[in-house]
């Protein structure tokens, strides 16, 4: 049985990914304020502390990331930094810090989102961050050592989140978190690297 850590395991998407992985793996569930373990992925020292506690793993999945949604004409630089600091650098911090804790042939699986491909009103921060994550994965895949792979999952809006985000996503078909979770299995259990797995686009 391989050991997979899910950072964001207490969230809407992370709960489904954790449930699917648990069928075949030992899963370490990490949240920010809840869960078996806690981390603040915006703080590399907190990530280092987490991995010192849990030790070596075969896979790292991140389903975290705050973004700023708001009209561009009123957007401040500080608001734009929300997505850069939290969703973009939060996940990149995890890869940079955790790489020496991943066993040979292990994997990273990050999370972007459909707004990478389908911009919406008030979504400039999300589109930027999601595409930057896909760029990071493309760049990192050719350089990660010891057969370590890296992919990113880009889901459309989740059925479970429609109540919260519905008005931003008229005309988009939602998918369940359980369906989106299948792409994480493909990344963790498959052999590909440098891929963007789009779900429901
Ligand atoms: N929901 C959707 O429809 C949808 C669609 C496409 C893409 N996505 C993307 O999927 C990701 C997760 O979305 P979600 O809806 O599942 O969000 P969510 O329900 O708010 O869950 C976020 C998760 O991240 C954790 N977290 C928050 N801040 C953190 C930090 N600084 N360090 C470490 N962990 C942190 C939370 O822990 P606590 O529970 O302890 O706070 C929680 O486990 C986001 O990147 C989002 O953009 C979501």
């Amino acid at each position: 049985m391989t050991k997979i850590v899910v950072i964001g395991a207490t969230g809407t998407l992370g709960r489904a990914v954790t449930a699917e992985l648990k069928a075949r793996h030992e899963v370490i569930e990490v949240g920010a304020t809840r869960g078996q373990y806690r981390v603040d992925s915006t703080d590399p020292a907190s990530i280092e502390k987490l991995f010192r506690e849990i030790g070596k793993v075969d896979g790292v999945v991140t389903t975290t990331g705050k973004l700023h949604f708001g009209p561009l004409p009123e957007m401040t630089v500080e608001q734009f930094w929300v997505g850069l600091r939290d969703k973009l650098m939060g996940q990149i911090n995890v890869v940079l810090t955790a790489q020496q804790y991943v066993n040979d042939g292990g994997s990273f699986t990050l999370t972007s989102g459909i707004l990478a491909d389908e911009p919406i009103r008030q979504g400039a921060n999300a589109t930027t961050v999601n595409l930057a994550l896909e760029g990071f994965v493309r760049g990192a895949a050719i350089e990660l050592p010891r057969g370590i792979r890296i992919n990113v999952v880009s889901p459309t809006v989740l059925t479970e989140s429609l109540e919260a985000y519905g008005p931003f996503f008229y005309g988009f078909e939602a998918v369940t978190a359980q369906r989106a979770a299948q792409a994480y299995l493909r990344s963790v259990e498959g052999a590909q690297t440098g891929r963007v797995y789009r779900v429901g686009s």
Side-chain angles (χ1 to χ4, degrees), residues 53-54 96 103:
E53 269 177 65
I54 63 180
L96 297 181
N103 289 326

Side-chain angles (χ1 to χ4, degrees), residues 68-123:
H68 175 74
F69 286 92
L72 191 70
E74 292 148 34
M75 200 175 292
T76 65
V77 171
E78 195 37 51
Q79 286 171 332
F80 202 88
W81 268 104
V82 170
L84 300 183
R85 191 164 36 231
D86 203 287
K87 181 162 180 174
L88 177 61
M89 283 315 299
Q91 296 186 83
I92 293 176
N93 290 339
V94 169
V95 176
L96 297 181
T97 309
Q99 51 185 334
Q100 73 253 38
Y101 293 95
V102 174
N103 289 326
D104 295 5
S107 68
F108 286 99
T109 308
L110 312 187
T111 301
S112 64
I114 193 169
L115 300 185
D117 305 301
E118 297 287 342
I120 59 169
R121 287 187 197 94
Q122 306 193 32

Side-chain angles (χ1 to χ4, degrees), residues 140-151:
I142 62 161
E143 220 186 327
L144 276 169
R146 299 183 286 106
I148 298 172
R149 301 177 298 103
I150 183 166
N151 298 297

Side-chain angles (χ1 to χ4, degrees), residues 6-15 30-35 37-43 46 62-67 69 86-87 90-91 94 111-115 126 130 133 153-162 165 169 175 184:
V6 179
I7 301 179
T10 53
T12 309
L13 186 53
R15 275 197 303 273
V30 183
T33 59
R34 307 173 278 174
Y37 289 90
R38 314 276 160 93
V39 75
D40 176 5
S41 59
T42 65
D43 174 10
S46 167
T62 53
T63 54
T64 60
K66 291 183 192 66
L67 293 164
F69 286 92
D86 203 287
K87 181 162 180 174
Q91 296 186 83
V94 169
T111 301
S112 64
I114 193 169
L115 300 185
N130 288 339
L133 281 160
V153 177
S154 176
T156 188
V157 66
L158 302 178
T159 313
E160 291 85 344
S161 301
L162 277 179
Y165 306 141
F169 289 97
V175 298
Y184 291 81

